[in-house]
Amino acid sequence: MRLKKWSVYVTRKILDPAIPMISKDCNVIVANHRGRPPTRSELLKAVRNKDAILCTLSDKIDAKVMDAAGSNLKVISSYSTGVDHIDIKEATRRGIYVTFTGDILTEATADLAFALILAVSRQVIQGHELVVHKQWKYGWDPHLLLGSDVHGATIGILGLGRIGAAVARRAKGSRNFQSEEQVGAKHVAMEELLEESDFLSLHCSLNSESYHIIDKSNLRRMKKDSYVINSARGQIINETDLIKALKQRWIAGAGLDVFEKEPPSPNNPLLRMKNVVLLPHIGSATFLTRTRMAEVAAKNLLNILNQKSAIYIANK
């Protein structure tokens, strides 16, 4: 039996067909830490002498990781659409390709963003808990769980990229999307976006400009009956400022699929607030989407090793 050509480290077990695909041409080591990502020391040890790394957004891939991998490292394939966890500049300097899963998760994440809008505005979670905890005692009540209308409301989208446009398309109710006009969107200044939005849905990528862009000053500009929806990256919001805004009712509520620290601390005040809906970073969590992501991550990795073009590359 001939030795397989390349050595690959996969930082977490992901859905098929990724591992079987890669295993045909490579020696593959898949981390198995019972659902958690590898620790820093585990990651640095496991990447040694690897030709390729298939990572997730939980893994910080920086110069130290690249040093630990050594000169053989040719490609870092990320099982994600965002690559803010990878030092792209350093990888490019070293001639290492960085790939990602592109727009595969667009529709699933847009679905979840809209689910958060509806859940937080119509008190869906509170209603569910009322019923299952047997606290719904008197049937229909004209004052029970009064929420906010979604129809006719203004949705502000920070980041009209693939996912932001998909949310806008859902808001308009049309699947024909070519431009801002066709999704019923209007480009406005940040100040107007904050002041006019009934629902501010965040879809920008995380970078030096968007880090903590939703802070005390911008939350103060929002309407008192408005909601913040975040299915992008947790660090886009200054969580301390958001907690203050929710406590002091600068805004009506928030729907969050992402946090500054994941999972959030058990002492995080957000966990005890009734005007928020919190989800465990599941924007792309459908079987079809995660399976397609796995296939693309594997193809990206194998294409680079075979000196072909990746499907989605971050550092062209």
Side-chain angles (χ1 to χ4, degrees), residues 115-264:
L116 282 169
I117 290 171
L118 291 165
V120 72
S121 62
R122 294 302 304 272
Q123 302 198 53
V124 171
I125 304 301
Q126 294 90 329
H128 172 80
E129 291 180 345
L130 197 72
V131 175
V132 299
H133 294 153
K134 301 177 183 178
Q135 295 174 346
W136 188 32
K137 298 179 179 179
Y138 305 114
W140 183 86
D141 184 333
H143 300 288
L144 182 64
L145 296 176
L146 299 179
S148 301
D149 285 329
V150 175
H151 74 276
T154 298
I155 297 181
I157 296 174
L158 183 59
L160 193 68
R162 292 185 297 265
I163 298 172
V167 171
R169 192 169 62 237
R170 282 158 176 74
K172 185 173 174 58
S174 168
R175 294 200 65 85
N176 276 322
F177 162 60
Q178 291 290 334
S179 65
E180 290 179 3
E181 291 78 13
Q182 286 177 302
V183 296
K186 179 178 70 171
H187 186 272
V188 298
M190 183 68 170
E191 185 173 323
E192 184 177 348
L193 183 77
L194 294 163
E195 292 175 354
E196 297 299 324
S197 296
D198 298 303
F199 299 91
L200 177 65
S201 194
L202 309 180
H203 301 287
C204 52
S205 58
L206 178 63
N207 51 46
S208 58
E209 292 182 1
S210 63
Y211 178 80
H212 279 188
I213 192 170
I214 304 302
D215 58 6
K216 179 180 178 180
S217 61
N218 282 331
L219 287 163
R220 276 288 202 182
R221 288 192 174 98
M222 295 180 65
K223 296 190 286 189
K224 289 187 177 181
D225 58 353
S226 65
Y227 299 84
V228 172
I229 308 297
N230 192 5
S231 57
R233 289 291 185 268
Q235 294 91 340
I236 294 171
I237 298 178
N238 182 320
E239 218 164 81
T240 301
D241 291 352
L242 176 63
I243 290 166
K244 185 174 183 179
L246 291 165
K247 283 183 175 179
Q248 299 189 8
R249 297 286 177 170
W250 300 349
I251 60 174
L256 308 175
D257 184 43
V258 290
F259 304 85
E260 283 206 67
K261 177 186 175 185
E262 295 183 0

Side-chain angles (χ1 to χ4, degrees), residues 57-123:
L57 55 83
S58 304
D59 309 305
K60 183 180 180 182
I61 309 295
D62 56 12
K64 288 186 178 179
V65 174
M66 297 176 205
D67 285 339
S71 59
N72 288 340
L73 185 61
K74 301 172 183 65
V75 56
I76 301 164
S77 175
S78 188
Y79 183 65
S80 66
T81 189
V83 290
D84 48 89
H85 55 294
I86 301 172
D87 189 334
I88 301 291
K89 185 176 180 180
E90 183 63 25
T92 303
R93 188 183 71 79
R94 296 173 185 238
I96 300 168
Y97 290 88
V98 178
T99 65
F100 60 104
T101 58
D103 61 358
I104 289 170
L105 51 67
T106 295
E107 301 301 333
T109 306
D111 283 345
L112 189 89
F114 229 86
L116 282 169
I117 290 171
L118 291 165
V120 72
S121 62
R122 294 302 304 272
Q123 302 198 53

Side-chain angles (χ1 to χ4, degrees), residues 46-57:
V47 298
R48 289 176 187 169
N49 302 316
K50 296 297 183 291
D51 297 290
I53 301 170
L54 198 162
C55 66
T56 73
L57 55 83

